[in-house]
Amino acid sequence: MYAQMVKSTGKGVKTREEMSEDERAFQDKIDADTKIEPRDWMPEEYRKTLVRQIGQHAHSEIVGQLPEGNWITRAPTLERKMILLAKVQDEAGHGLYLYCAAETLGVSRDDLTEDLLSGKMKYSSIFNYPTLNWADIGAVGWLVDGAAIMNQVPLQRTSYGPYSRAMIRICKEESFHQRQGYDIMMKMAQGSPEQKRMAQDALDRFWYPSLMMFGPSDKDSVHSAQSMAWKIKINTNDELRQKFVDQTVPQAEYLGLSIPDPDLTWNEETGHYDFTEPNWQEFFDVIKGNGPCNTERMNDRTRAWEDGRWVREGLMAHARKKAARTAAE
Amino acid sequence: MSSVSPSAYPDTESEKKPERKEWPLWEIFIRGQHGMSHRHVGSLHAPDAEMAIKNARDVYTRRNEGVSIWAVESRHIAATVPSEKGPLFEPSESKVYRHPTFFDIPDEVGQM
Amino acid sequence: MTETIDKTALLQFLLRMGDNTLILGHRVSEWCGHSPVLEEDIALANTALDLIGQTQLWLDYAAEVQGEGRTADDLAFLRDAWDFRNVLLVELPNGDFGQTLMRQFLYDAWASIMLGRLQKSADERVREIAEKAAKENAYHVERSADTVVGLGDGTEESHARMQAALDYLYPYVGELFESDATDAAMAEAGIAPDPASLRAEYDAFVGRVMAEATLTIPEKAYVHRGGRSGTMHTEHLGHLLCTMQWLQRAYPGCQW
């Protein structure tokens, strides 16, 4: 998802007997659905895992501005331009809310940013794919935001208070994102032959990367088991992926577009679609930095950060001067 | 042991700890409609109070969410210490007579 | 009202207003995802959204006055550079963040005075658009003025960059106050003020802000002109339009 493959302790879930008294009280609170708040006692590994997960989620929102931002200046009507701009602006807002949630755990936004730029922290693999035609903006809203929502809706119930509140705000704002994407897809699918071709091309390129967003199967992962016990992960990757496929296939049919999977079939017995797994080697390549746009995305973020330094420092220097002048009066 | 902590959040973890160039963190409170209290909506960074208010307008009222904004620098928030939760809050749990539902008033008496 | 006045002049005036907001809004939107800090990224997007929203109102009315069954989108996406009537200032490239904010302030300061006058326009539609736009602009100008002051009176580097931005942009300010036959017709009909009449107020306002920003306004700056008359735009506008109009031009007649 926006936070893929987040490592936790790596040791598996402790039994009650193995837990210290503090850890037991902590786990009891989580089991009783009591939220954990910034100054509450928490296991160091819970805190570290959350910083990684929330940080990765925040980075994904910020890097996620880039592929869609790629089309703001080329949006085909004034209204589409405003909608897209408002949406990409929302992503910046979501990144901001999430960085603030991470900051309640005692890390700074600047440190997180530097960890992103140095490659120490990751962001979602999906944003390393290019947006090549206007229908990609539709596909990103429909598929990528659709997949993100699958993950974010349950995360509203996550155990860490500030993260949960950020997710509630994000989900409320995101509800228009997927719909605007599908709205573009409908226009394109019902449009001229060229527009229809753009729509199919976009679906062809974004289908498997969207399925990868949920991360590889984690039913046997010790990290996921610990995260689920702590309620900072609510569903397994496979559960969410299946739910996404089941929801999306009929939407593609309505558009008259074909999903690029010849083996996709409805399974009467399970009540779900059977589908082809994405190419996980490609996923690991992208995560390692070899996706089609990794270099460009990091260059863009680094440039914004470096070129912005004098602005951040200038405004801060002015604020200090002003405060000193006020104090002297 | 004091039941008041000087901040709402734990300290920044940083091995380097050079002079921080980052803009300070602010807590934002917004009055959603006339007649309501200001409620905490989240945080943001700004060089000073004036910019904190402006940034709050741009960040937290994009969907017509507010009629008034308060901003306070996060480091100025005093907070209760979680370990003192028992002595601070539990004593009031036993004072059930403070709640209207403690008293049974016959229906015939009407609205009270 | 509009029947008794020169429709060509009214159309020119509306295009000047709408093209200013369109081109500036487009330029500001180029920042989205690339600003120095998240809070500024979000704020700039709000400014761009307001400007493009205003564009829709001005160009809708322009299309109506033109009376050829066109829409605001047609005017935005299907005219070539020579038909654009924005001032040169707004089509200049973004440069660094300081140059963008300096351009924004120099425009906002003019718009705040212009929109104030237009709220007393004899034309009801102009009045309505100006009323809505003035509220948005009041926030823009406060924010851009604050940023110009903050960066002008910030560090040595930020001061130097802001002074360079002002030196580069100031020769494009004069065009905002040029008057021609269109302006005379608008003033005559009570629809819009003579631009020249806004200059004193503008100079006083900009002078105050630049003083606070510790920046020096260039003396006897040359005046570059040709945008609002359409006689000579900069080379930059053509590239901007190439990007902005590409889909509409490559796939004409589609619904998007």
Side-chain angles (χ1 to χ4, degrees):
Chain A
M1 190 37 53
Y2 277 18
Q4 293 158 324
M5 304 180 64
V6 175
K7 290 199 170 72
S8 59
T9 62
K11 295 186 202 110
V13 185
K14 283 186 186 172
T15 63
R16 283 191 76 80
E17 289 67 44
E18 289 166 335
M19 288 179 186
S20 69
E21 201 180 314
D22 277 340
E23 286 172 333
R24 252 197 306 275
F26 176 80
Q27 191 62 49
D28 286 345
K29 267 172 88 176
I30 288 187
D31 293 342
D33 281 330
T34 304
K35 296 281 182 238
I36 308 300
E37 294 297 341
R39 299 218 63 128
D40 290 344
W41 185 89
M42 59 185 81
E44 185 54 18
E45 288 301 330
Y46 174 83
R47 197 185 69 79
K48 280 194 173 149
T49 308
L50 267 177
V51 168
R52 272 195 292 268
Q53 179 170 334
I54 300 173
Q56 207 181 106
H57 195 156
H59 296 329
S60 298
E61 298 282 355
I62 301 311
V63 179
Q65 286 186 276
L66 299 172
E68 289 180 281
N70 184 35
W71 280 88
I72 290 174
T73 56
R74 288 179 290 172
T77 68
L78 294 172
E79 191 179 66
R80 287 288 179 208
K81 197 199 251 326
M82 289 192 283
I83 293 170
L84 180 58
L85 183 54
K87 178 183 187 278
V88 181
Q89 180 198 39
D90 274 349
E91 315 292 358
H94 299 170
L96 187 149
Y97 307 155
L98 288 160
Y99 282 126
C100 288
E103 283 175 282
T104 66
L105 292 160
V107 288
S108 81
R109 195 205 285 176
D110 281 5
D111 288 342
L112 290 171
T113 303
E114 270 156 22
D115 285 347
L116 167 71
L117 300 180
S118 73
K120 198 173 142 199
M121 287 185 85
K122 302 286 180 204
Y123 55 91
S124 177
S125 56
I126 190 74
F127 302 117
N128 291 311
Y129 289 86
T131 52
L132 301 177
N133 80 57
W134 172 249
D136 285 12
I137 297 308
V140 168
W142 171 38
L143 302 173
V144 176
D145 289 306
I149 290 165
M150 292 262 140
N151 182 51
Q152 290 174 349
V153 166
L155 272 180
Q156 294 178 96
R157 292 182 280 115
T158 189
S159 62
Y160 187 56
Y163 191 24
S164 155
R165 290 190 285 275
M167 289 321 304
I168 290 169
R169 197 173 180 94
I170 289 171
C171 285
K172 208 168 98 193
E173 295 187 353
E174 282 238 327
S175 53
F176 100 85
H177 293 182
Q178 195 188 8
R179 295 173 79 115
Q180 69 85 32
Y182 198 70
D183 187 61
I184 292 177
M185 290 309 278
M186 286 199 295
K187 278 272 180 355
M188 302 297 281
Q190 293 157 8
S192 69
E194 287 100 336
Q195 285 177 303
K196 194 156 181 179
R197 185 176 157 200
M198 289 181 210
Q200 185 61 54
D201 176 52
L203 174 57
D204 289 348
R205 278 181 290 105
F206 274 99
W207 175 253
Y208 287 107
S210 300
L211 296 187
M212 289 179 203
M213 284 177 70
F214 299 95
S217 179
D218 61 350
K219 53 184 191 295
D220 305 318
S221 155
V222 286
H223 299 301
S224 294
Q226 179 61 76
S227 289
M228 287 175 91
W230 280 334
K231 292 190 186 163
I232 54 185
K233 182 177 170 74
I234 311 290
N235 306 90
T236 68
N237 295 347
D238 291 323
E239 277 167 16
L240 291 171
R241 188 170 14 252
Q242 184 68 57
K243 205 171 157 206
F244 174 75
V245 172
D246 291 347
Q247 178 189 288
T248 309
V249 172
Q251 294 168 350
E253 279 167 6
Y254 179 85
L255 293 172
L257 300 177
S258 38
I259 289 186
D261 178 359
D263 296 328
L264 184 84
T265 43
W266 176 252
N267 185 328
E268 278 297 345
E269 232 166 88
T270 58
H272 295 291
Y273 283 94
D274 293 335
F275 59 93
T276 307
E277 286 278 315
N279 175 353
W280 290 112
Q281 188 50 50
E282 177 182 320
F283 171 80
F284 290 113
D285 286 344
V286 174
I287 289 280
K288 274 197 209 96
N290 295 316
C293 300
N294 294 59
T295 310
E296 280 80 2
R297 301 292 184 247
M298 277 305 97
N299 285 350
D300 275 5
R301 287 314 312 158
T302 305
R303 203 176 313 123
W305 181 244
E306 297 294 334
D307 291 354
R309 189 184 311 278
W310 72 270
V311 177
R312 296 189 299 272
E313 290 179 3
L315 292 176
M316 194 65 236
H318 174 69
R320 288 211 184 93
K321 281 189 204 173
K322 214 166 68 175
R325 280 199 289 265
T326 314
E329 271 165 23
Chain B
M1 181 186 165
S2 167
S3 60
V4 175
S5 123
S7 138
Y9 306 135
D11 284 338
T12 294
E13 73 163 23
S14 173
E15 310 89 48
K16 315 159 223 162
K17 283 260 176 189
E19 194 212 348
R20 205 147 257 312
K21 285 190 174 148
E22 192 164 12
W23 293 352
L25 191 65
W26 299 75
E27 299 303 318
I28 305 302
F29 301 80
I30 290 186
R31 187 199 300 287
Q33 304 162 28
H34 291 289
M36 306 285 283
S37 313
H38 286 76
R39 280 187 56 189
H40 183 241
V41 294
S43 335
L44 48 74
H45 289 270
D48 61 18
E50 223 173 292
M51 286 312 293
I53 296 270
K54 288 204 170 75
N55 288 346
R57 179 264 190 198
D58 282 309
V59 171
Y60 286 108
T61 68
R62 301 200 300 287
R63 286 173 171 76
N64 198 18
E65 291 105 328
V67 295
S68 164
I69 299 172
W70 286 351
V72 58
E73 212 181 316
S74 306
R75 67 190 173 95
H76 291 145
I77 293 207
T80 54
V81 174
S83 59
E84 294 292 298
K85 217 179 259 178
L88 282 174
F89 305 118
E90 274 166 30
S92 69
E93 279 174 18
S94 58
K95 298 182 178 61
V96 287
Y97 44 81
R98 281 190 189 273
H99 298 277
T101 46
F102 180 73
F103 305 95
D104 283 327
I105 304 290
D107 286 348
E108 303 89 277
V109 178
Q111 183 71 28
M112 186 175 283
Chain C
M1 166 82 258
T2 44
E3 278 159 32
T4 57
I5 69 117
D6 183 353
K7 275 202 174 175
T8 322
L10 179 59
L11 175 61
Q12 287 299 304
F13 164 73
L14 293 171
L15 289 176
R16 286 171 178 182
M17 294 303 292
D19 288 346
N20 278 344
T21 53
L22 172 60
I23 301 302
L24 185 60
H26 183 95
R27 280 288 187 227
V28 177
S29 80
E30 291 173 5
W31 274 100
C32 189
H34 304 275
S35 309
V37 65
L38 272 177
E39 284 81 356
E40 292 292 343
D41 205 63
I42 295 169
L44 277 179
N46 274 341
T47 301
L49 282 171
D50 286 343
L51 290 170
I52 299 165
Q54 292 170 20
T55 303
Q56 230 168 5
L57 301 174
W58 290 122
L59 293 189
D60 264 341
Y61 189 23
E64 218 172 282
V65 170
Q66 194 182 34
E68 292 171 14
R70 300 167 92 189
T71 63
D73 278 335
D74 293 336
L75 290 176
F77 293 94
L78 300 175
R79 278 179 302 154
D80 203 347
W82 54 24
D83 285 330
F84 273 77
R85 292 292 178 266
N86 57 282
V87 291
L88 301 178
L89 177 72
V90 297
E91 69 195 45
L92 297 176
N94 283 339
D96 65 13
F97 183 82
Q99 188 177 313
T100 296
L101 264 291
M102 181 61 81
R103 183 187 62 199
Q104 190 65 36
F105 171 68
L106 294 172
Y107 170 83
D108 287 342
W110 169 82
S112 68
I113 302 165
M114 184 65 166
L115 291 169
R117 303 283 176 91
L118 291 181
Q119 287 180 74
K120 297 181 209 101
S121 170
D123 184 299
E124 197 188 339
R125 279 285 284 283
V126 170
R127 227 162 40 230
E128 282 169 9
I129 298 171
E131 232 162 85
K132 180 177 184 292
K135 274 191 208 117
E136 295 169 347
N137 181 261
Y139 180 74
H140 299 171
V141 73
E142 210 183 302
R143 191 162 180 119
S144 59
D146 272 3
T147 313
V148 165
V149 169
L151 292 173
D153 181 40
T155 59
E156 218 171 287
E157 181 181 6
S158 73
H159 175 86
R161 283 175 181 265
M162 294 313 279
Q163 186 62 54
L166 181 59
D167 293 346
Y168 171 59
L169 294 170
Y170 203 72
Y172 295 91
V173 164
E175 191 187 7
L176 289 161
F177 305 98
E178 299 268 292
S179 297
D180 61 11
T182 295
D183 299 302
M186 288 297 98
E188 172 78 31
I191 294 176
D194 174 5
S197 71
L198 311 178
R199 184 82 210 219
E201 200 178 326
Y202 183 88
D203 285 344
F205 179 31
V206 172
R208 265 199 317 277
V209 171
M210 291 309 156
E212 208 186 324
T214 69
L215 297 172
T216 312
I217 296 174
E219 272 176 61
K220 298 198 191 89
Y222 185 77
V223 176
H224 290 293
R225 48 175 73 87
R228 71 196 297 276
S229 63
T231 50
M232 192 153 63
H233 280 281
T234 65
E235 290 180 342
H236 306 295
L237 182 64
H239 291 283
L240 185 153
L241 296 181
C242 268
T243 307
M244 185 173 89
Q245 300 181 335
W246 173 70
L247 270 177
Q248 289 266 7
R249 300 285 194 177
Y251 303 97
C254 290
Q255 294 294 309
W256 301 96

